[in-house]
Amino acid sequence: MSKLLLSSFLLTLAISQSFLQGVTSSATFTFINKCDQTIWPGILSNAGIAPLQQTGFVLLKGESKVIDAPASWGGRLWGRTHCSEDSAGKFTCATGDCGSGKLECAGAGATPPATLAEFTLDGDGGMDFFDVSLVDGYNLPLLVAPTGGTGRNCTYTGCMVDLNGGCPAALKVVGSEGEGVACKSACEAFGNEEYCCSGAYGTPDTCKPSSYSQMFKIACPRAYSYAYDDKSSTFTCDGADYVVTFCPPASNSKKSTEGQQTPTTATPEFNDGMVFEGADAMVNSGAPPRYTYIHAAVMAVVMLAAFL
């Protein structure tokens, strides 16, 4: 009988350890479309990392979708706009197109310009690293808000301002009806080594902010504005899930960000002091942190051990 109890205990312990590893290493991404138009999110995994269950999908105005990411996933997310399918069934988008010809990006990345959210889960020290980047240009306002995570630098980031209307003529991408639909980076527009942080400008010491990247940085102080814009643009969390909101509505209320932890690096305030719907998910989320489940599993094992 004692052998049976011991075997049951060891089996429970093994299951618990497996469960804990899955809980601590995986994350969910909740995509929300607050734009006045349909968005077609695209997802690209980093080299050597398996793709997620979906690499492209449609998100109607007001819709949301949850996708699970496995342990140690890394990659980038973005929104495609003004997409359509021709008579031959070829799928294309005016901005953020991944060139697959289909709704699924299937291992292809976004054609610049596109606002990117970049993630490395369970990275150095077991932390998630994430950022929102305008290095490849801009096409949509985008907010990334962690939920249920911990860490001194675990806070929301993004570019929540519509830059298309005020984009300089040299960078502006114009749609079929003459409206601005995206804003190129200076690197994409001009190809200069100085703007691309390449060649003689390929180090942090030689590549400095340009007047164009500073325009992005002033509008979106938490987003990457050029290749070496690390200090105020990289964020870390332990045990978080993530809400990715396209076109987050602005609010003048300070309520949603009260009690938030601020980044360890000095980060400028957003232009007009506004906060954004979705940023309060960090403190107002009804979903328990993943550590809650870890604690429950550990307690179950301890209680079984005491019983034996």
Side-chain angles (χ1 to χ4, degrees):
M1 183 67 176
S2 60
K3 288 184 178 180
L4 179 60
L5 290 173
L6 179 60
S7 298
S8 299
F9 168 71
L10 293 175
L11 179 60
T12 301
L13 180 61
I15 292 172
S16 299
Q17 287 178 333
S18 176
F19 173 76
L20 294 181
Q21 289 172 355
V23 168
T24 56
S25 299
S26 62
T28 62
F29 291 95
T30 302
F31 296 83
I32 302 174
N33 181 10
K34 295 287 187 177
C35 301
D36 290 330
Q37 59 178 313
T38 300
I39 301 298
W40 290 262
I43 305 174
L44 174 67
S45 296
N46 291 337
I49 296 179
L52 297 185
Q53 62 194 44
Q54 287 185 280
T55 60
F57 54 93
V58 62
L59 205 59
L60 300 177
K61 176 182 176 181
E63 279 192 337
S64 63
K65 184 177 182 65
V66 177
I67 291 182
D68 294 323
S72 301
W73 182 79
R76 50 181 51 184
L77 323 169
W78 69 97
R80 295 170 287 176
T81 66
H82 305 286
C83 302
S84 61
E85 191 174 80
D86 66 16
S87 57
K90 183 179 180 180
F91 181 83
T92 57
C93 302
T95 77
D97 188 68
C98 53
S100 66
K102 300 178 181 179
L103 179 61
E104 296 272 349
C105 286
T111 301
T115 311
L116 303 176
E118 302 174 314
F119 293 86
T120 298
L121 304 183
D122 195 21
D124 187 34
M127 301 292 288
D128 297 345
F129 291 76
F130 63 99
D131 65 79
V132 169
S133 175
L134 306 181
V135 176
D136 287 342
Y138 166 99
N139 69 332
L140 281 172
L142 178 64
L143 170 70
V144 174
T147 66
T150 60
R152 293 193 310 171
N153 204 24
C154 185
T155 187
Y156 67 92
T157 185
C159 183
M160 284 72 86
V161 181
D162 186 355
L163 301 180
N164 290 331
C167 183
L171 306 182
K172 182 175 290 189
V173 177
V174 179
S176 59
E177 298 180 3
E179 78 285 14
V181 295
C183 194
K184 295 180 182 179
S185 68
C187 175
E188 176 72 14
F190 309 119
N192 296 353
E193 290 183 349
E194 181 179 1
Y195 293 140
C196 297
C197 292
S198 61
Y201 297 91
T203 69
D205 292 330
T206 57
C207 189
K208 303 299 181 182
S210 68
S211 58
Y212 293 106
S213 69
Q214 286 176 330
M215 174 196 71
F216 286 134
K217 195 65 177 178
I218 290 170
C220 305
R222 297 194 185 194
Y224 263 88
S225 59
Y226 76 108
Y228 295 109
D229 187 16
D230 299 276
K231 291 184 178 180
S232 61
S233 307
T234 301
F235 299 86
T236 56
C237 285
D238 190 5
D241 296 308
Y242 298 92
V243 179
V244 179
T245 305
F246 297 101
C247 309
S251 169
N252 286 313
S253 171
K254 295 288 185 181
K255 181 179 179 181
S256 63
T257 52
E258 288 176 359
Q260 282 194 127
Q261 295 167 312
T262 55
T264 54
T265 53
T267 304
E269 294 293 328
F270 294 112
N271 286 347
D272 51 9
M274 286 186 175
V275 293
F276 294 83
E277 186 177 309
D280 58 337
M282 296 170 51
V283 292
N284 294 333
S285 172
R290 282 176 279 167
Y291 292 110
T292 301
Y293 301 110
I294 295 174
H295 177 74
V298 170
M299 288 303 297
V301 173
V302 170
M303 291 176 65
L304 180 58
F307 173 76
L308 294 176

